[in-house]
Amino acid sequence: MSPLNWTRVFAVMAKEFVQLSRDRLTYAMILALPIVQILLFGYAINSDPRHLPMAVYVQDHSAFSRSILTSLQNSSYFDITREARSPAELDRLMARGEVLFTLTIPPDFSRRVVRGDRPQILIEGDASDPLATGGAVSALAALPQRALAADLVGPLSPRAAVQPFEVVVHPRYNPESITAYNIVPGLLGVVLTMTLVMMTALGMTRELERGTMESLLATPVQPLEVMIGKLAPYVGIGLIQTTVILVLAKLLFDVPFQGGWGALAAGVLLFIIGSLALGFLISTVARSQLQAMQMSVFYLLPSILLSGFMFPFRGMPDWAQAIGSAIPVTHFLRVVRGALLKGLDLAESWPSLLALAAFVAVVTTLAMARYRTTLD
Amino acid sequence: MAASPASLAVDVRGLNKSFGDKHVVNDVSIQVGTGRVTGFLGPNGSGKTTTLRMLCGLLTADSGEGMVLGRDFRTQAREIKLRTGYMTQRFSLYEDLTIAENLQFMARVHGLDDRERRVDASLDRLGLQNRRDQLAGKLSGGWKQRLALAAAILHEPRLLLLDEPTAGVDPKARREFWDEIHGLAADGLTVLVSTHYMDEAERCHDIAYIAYGRLIARGTADAVIADSRLVTLRAEGPGADRLASRLAGQPGVEMAAPFGLALHVSGTDRRALDAVVAPYRKPPLSWTEVEPTLEDVFIHLMSRQEDVW
């Protein structure tokens, strides 16, 4: 090998820099990627989420009950957001994911505390995402000792010496807290996003880049015909991927299939169509396959980080939850996890399905509006 | 061209198109007689491709009016597309499909009946039958061009627009291509073909010359040459070609260019030209007046247009 000639090295380097500076999108990505990553990881993601929504069903309206609620709030792990009037209402709130915890205080609670019976209060947690609820559950250990400390004074002070009541924690949906139960259904959303958005975005941009779009546009074929024809094969691909992932989830990880087939089917279909339409929209903006690729990656990032796939959705600050709510994966994950882990069907999952449908409608409209039948 | 409007396949006037602040096509009018092969000439960037794209509905004209195949080209683009074949400058069929698959795709997109037979017939005619299962991307330039032509005429269009179809193709393949074009024209197809090659221009029935977005000459090749009123003198003899730099730029000399060892000097003002050449009219050089070639005329037209611009 002949020795390095630094003039030639420099020639290649200078050319590379010039080309890089001409590609404004790549430039933007180089700057935006670290900034967005830092912001997302730094501020939005919290693996010890606090302020988790809790619904309470208090049958004993006493000073003791109030102290327990206050103590829960003060732990900063729980936000009491709903007051239920029946156990059934508690169940419903948790099933829909409106709260992650429920608290039930029995009717004769204060009387039995005074008697020294060590009565039980029940806290149920949604363990479908063990990461989201783990920290809060361990915080409960200190509750009996502290909650009533201020109330149990004077003649009642002996009651404070031992634990005056017991907290029964009942994890639901995923009682053994197996992370795979939560991750594997979530993977479905990420895999579909990754392949479908990218494949469509690249597929359309390839026609533009290779010049075949010119031939295609010179024929009498219409925009909607192109869109349906180009996307239909990918619907099939998406369905095959879904089947593969679900079968593996069952065979390898023994993920529970609680039912909710209607919601699951509707969710998968809406999500596939939404992802394809988004890919199509990207292809109407991107001018090369490289740009389409970069835009897809840029979309993939929040889909993984802000959707509740990798990190607890409830653990994120409000602004991050707002961004997350605009991403279809977020709603898709709720539908899939709801169906597989909780057996939720159309009746319970409709808000998420509606959000997915809205996404499909908006993105399809935008894509059709941007698609040109001419080369202008 | 003495054709009446009824026999014009393309009759478009006042065509304009700008991209940003670049006025690419400026008030171009173009007529193409039915069943004729019209050559569309002009330097690079003169607006030929843009004009062709506007005619077949690939680009929207900023202004202009007229008919293509008897239909309003601005409002009936779909109708026109059904009856027009367009062969792009760059190969624009699918390189990862075979020849037969590409043709089948085109047949389907055009909603043709009896597809198998048409594709077969098309393969036969272009001599592509034994290559039908070859990927289009693996073909050489000449074969790609044949395939592109086959795809453009599969739906039996009445108008064929060709955008520099023979760029990068060897002379033999070019000759065969033009024979094919004339064969199609003899069957009644109207052809508008853009080209840079003067020998191809001479094979066209009519010529339209565009420069800097304006149409500056049209008619048969002979008429264009006659209309230019160009006088061309040819000098032969030792050192004739080296006179070019000395004559270029002299009053009355619009063009002085070596042709091999000979020299062509052209201008529209015969007297001025004679005056400039007079000092060199002596042995060993011998001067004759020759018929200007199409190339002489185009270079003359181009330089004149530059002045106007």
Side-chain angles (χ1 to χ4, degrees):
Chain A
M1 212 176 98
S2 55
L4 282 183
N5 175 328
W6 289 104
T7 313
R8 290 195 292 255
V9 171
F10 181 75
V12 175
M13 198 173 81
K15 171 204 75 90
E16 208 65 25
F17 267 118
V18 170
Q19 285 177 321
L20 207 59
S21 67
R22 298 269 153 79
D23 187 353
R24 301 231 305 274
L25 194 79
T26 302
Y27 219 47
M29 285 284 289
I30 290 172
L31 284 175
L33 213 57
I35 294 175
V36 171
Q37 290 265 26
I38 291 273
L39 289 180
L40 289 188
F41 272 116
Y43 288 111
I45 290 161
N46 181 1
S47 57
D48 183 25
R50 289 163 190 252
H51 301 287
L52 302 174
M54 175 183 248
V56 296
Y57 174 42
V58 182
Q59 291 159 284
D60 172 60
H61 294 278
S62 65
F64 289 168
S65 296
R66 277 193 297 279
S67 294
I68 289 177
L69 298 191
T70 312
S71 181
L72 284 169
Q73 294 261 38
N74 287 347
S75 75
S76 83
Y77 277 104
F78 306 96
D79 274 357
I80 293 163
T81 53
R82 304 292 284 262
E83 204 158 333
R85 291 200 183 73
S86 69
E89 196 181 343
L90 282 184
D91 277 354
R92 201 164 51 242
L93 287 170
M94 186 180 295
R96 284 192 184 160
E98 287 180 40
V99 296
L100 288 182
F101 288 95
T102 64
L103 165 69
T104 310
I105 299 179
D108 51 355
F109 178 68
S110 41
R111 197 158 46 85
R112 295 179 60 194
V113 168
V114 172
R115 276 213 315 247
D117 278 358
R118 300 190 66 213
Q120 295 181 330
I121 62 171
L122 174 67
I123 293 188
E124 292 188 298
D126 180 344
S128 56
D129 184 357
L131 198 58
T133 47
V137 169
S138 33
L140 287 174
L143 185 67
Q145 203 58 266
R146 287 218 199 112
L148 302 180
D151 297 299
L152 300 173
V153 290
L156 290 176
S157 50
R159 300 281 174 268
V162 285
Q163 294 199 343
F165 64 96
E166 228 178 293
V167 178
V168 177
V169 179
H170 182 192
R172 293 189 59 180
Y173 306 125
N174 181 5
E176 292 149 90
S177 293
I178 298 172
T179 323
Y181 287 4
N182 192 51
I183 291 292
V184 172
L187 265 176
L188 182 57
V190 172
V191 167
L192 287 179
T193 303
M194 225 146 76
T195 43
L196 297 183
V197 172
M198 216 171 268
M199 278 170 109
T200 353
L202 290 183
M204 286 302 291
T205 323
R206 185 159 48 234
E207 298 243 8
L208 208 62
E209 209 172 273
R210 292 195 183 165
T212 51
M213 193 58 120
E214 202 181 344
S215 271
L216 194 62
L217 289 180
T219 70
V221 71
Q222 301 201 51
L224 200 60
E225 292 164 349
V226 175
M227 187 160 167
I228 294 174
K230 286 227 77 147
L231 300 192
Y234 294 106
V235 174
I237 290 176
L239 290 177
I240 291 172
Q241 287 184 321
T242 305
T243 313
V244 169
I245 290 176
L246 290 183
V247 168
L248 289 182
K250 183 74 196 165
L251 293 183
L252 300 183
F253 297 98
D254 205 20
V255 170
F257 281 61
Q258 299 286 0
W261 297 109
L264 187 66
V268 166
L269 213 60
L270 282 173
F271 186 67
I272 288 176
I273 295 171
S275 299
L276 294 177
L278 183 70
F280 200 89
L281 179 63
I282 288 178
S283 75
T284 63
V285 181
R287 257 173 272 124
S288 67
Q289 293 193 66
L290 182 67
Q291 287 193 356
M293 189 74 153
Q294 288 171 328
M295 289 184 200
S296 306
V297 169
F298 212 77
Y299 167 75
L300 194 63
L301 213 65
S303 292
I304 291 176
L305 298 181
L306 298 184
S307 64
F309 165 67
M310 219 173 218
F311 305 100
F313 189 78
R314 296 287 186 188
M316 303 190 302
D318 290 343
W319 61 266
Q321 290 195 21
I323 298 175
S325 300
I327 302 172
V329 190
T330 307
H331 302 280
F332 180 63
L333 293 188
R334 289 181 192 162
V335 173
V336 175
R337 286 171 176 168
L340 296 186
L341 303 181
K342 303 180 183 177
L344 299 189
D345 213 333
L346 297 167
E348 294 90 5
S349 285
W350 65 266
S352 296
L353 290 172
L354 206 64
L356 285 177
F359 181 82
V360 170
V362 169
V363 171
T364 308
T365 311
L366 281 176
M368 292 315 293
R370 281 209 51 98
Y371 183 77
R372 292 271 162 272
T373 45
T374 61
L375 292 169
D376 287 276
Chain B
M1 195 162 60
S4 68
S7 67
L8 288 177
V10 176
D11 185 10
V12 173
R13 290 169 306 279
L15 214 49
N16 277 287
K17 179 74 184 176
S18 300
F19 295 111
D21 55 358
K22 254 188 100 182
H23 205 158
V24 178
V25 172
N26 190 350
D27 214 20
V28 165
S29 299
I30 189 158
Q31 277 84 32
V32 179
T34 301
R36 291 178 77 89
V37 178
T38 300
F40 196 26
L41 295 108
N44 289 325
S46 56
K48 297 191 299 288
T49 298
T50 306
T51 304
L52 289 178
R53 284 178 173 175
M54 283 192 283
L55 291 180
C56 65
L58 274 176
L59 287 173
T60 325
D62 295 340
S63 66
E65 54 180 33
M67 302 293 207
V68 173
L69 297 174
R71 286 165 181 83
D72 187 326
F73 87 103
R74 295 186 56 134
T75 58
Q76 294 176 288
R78 251 186 79 72
E79 297 277 292
I80 294 169
K81 280 182 185 179
L82 283 169
R83 294 165 182 81
T84 303
Y86 173 50
M87 186 173 151
T88 55
Q89 194 170 340
R90 193 177 141 197
F91 183 71
S92 63
L93 295 174
Y94 297 94
E95 302 211 333
D96 42 3
L97 293 186
T98 65
I99 292 174
E101 285 164 347
N102 265 305
L103 291 175
Q104 277 152 7
F105 173 71
M106 277 299 167
R108 288 208 179 99
V109 163
H110 279 283
L112 302 182
D113 52 3
D114 211 1
R115 288 193 297 270
E116 278 305 315
R117 187 192 57 75
R118 283 178 199 258
V119 169
D120 253 8
S122 166
L123 288 168
D124 279 338
R125 185 152 63 148
L126 290 154
L128 289 166
Q129 192 62 260
N130 55 352
R131 289 170 177 260
R132 57 177 297 147
D133 294 323
Q134 199 169 332
L135 289 183
K138 301 255 191 250
L139 294 173
S140 69
W143 286 106
K144 273 186 181 168
Q145 170 228 45
R146 283 176 158 233
L147 171 59
L149 178 63
I153 60 174
L154 193 64
H155 59 293
E156 292 166 16
R158 288 171 48 204
L159 172 66
L160 184 58
L161 304 174
L162 306 168
D163 194 0
E164 292 184 25
T166 55
V169 169
D170 69 54
K172 181 169 171 286
R174 265 173 61 193
R175 171 67 56 88
E176 286 166 3
F177 186 80
W178 274 88
D179 289 345
E180 177 73 23
I181 296 296
H182 274 278
L184 291 166
D187 293 342
L189 184 67
T190 306
V191 181
L192 179 58
V193 49
S194 79
T195 180
H196 282 301
Y197 298 112
M198 289 307 138
D199 60 318
E200 292 187 351
E202 280 159 1
R203 298 193 64 164
C204 295
H205 299 129
D206 299 302
I207 288 167
Y209 189 83
I210 186 175
Y212 304 99
R214 291 168 192 274
L215 189 76
I216 52 180
R218 67 163 174 254
T220 63
D222 289 343
V224 168
I225 292 171
D227 285 353
S228 72
R229 300 181 189 286
L230 201 64
V231 180
T232 298
L233 303 175
R234 179 181 168 93
E236 278 167 294
D241 53 319
R242 269 167 271 156
L243 270 181
S245 56
R246 235 179 291 172
L247 292 177
Q250 299 268 11
V253 177
E254 289 182 26
M255 194 198 75
F259 274 67
L261 288 174
L263 175 75
H264 280 201
V265 186
S266 307
T268 39
D269 184 341
R270 177 182 298 273
R271 210 173 305 162
L273 201 62
D274 279 337
V276 169
V277 163
Y280 306 100
R281 275 193 192 276
K282 55 186 181 200
L285 296 184
S286 69
W287 291 81
T288 43
E289 182 172 344
V290 293
E291 172 91 340
T293 64
L294 212 45
E295 185 166 319
D296 293 332
V297 172
F298 286 145
I299 292 173
H300 153 73
L301 288 173
M302 240 170 94
S303 54
R304 211 182 51 181
Q305 197 60 28
E306 256 169 324
D307 299 341
V308 176
W309 202 255

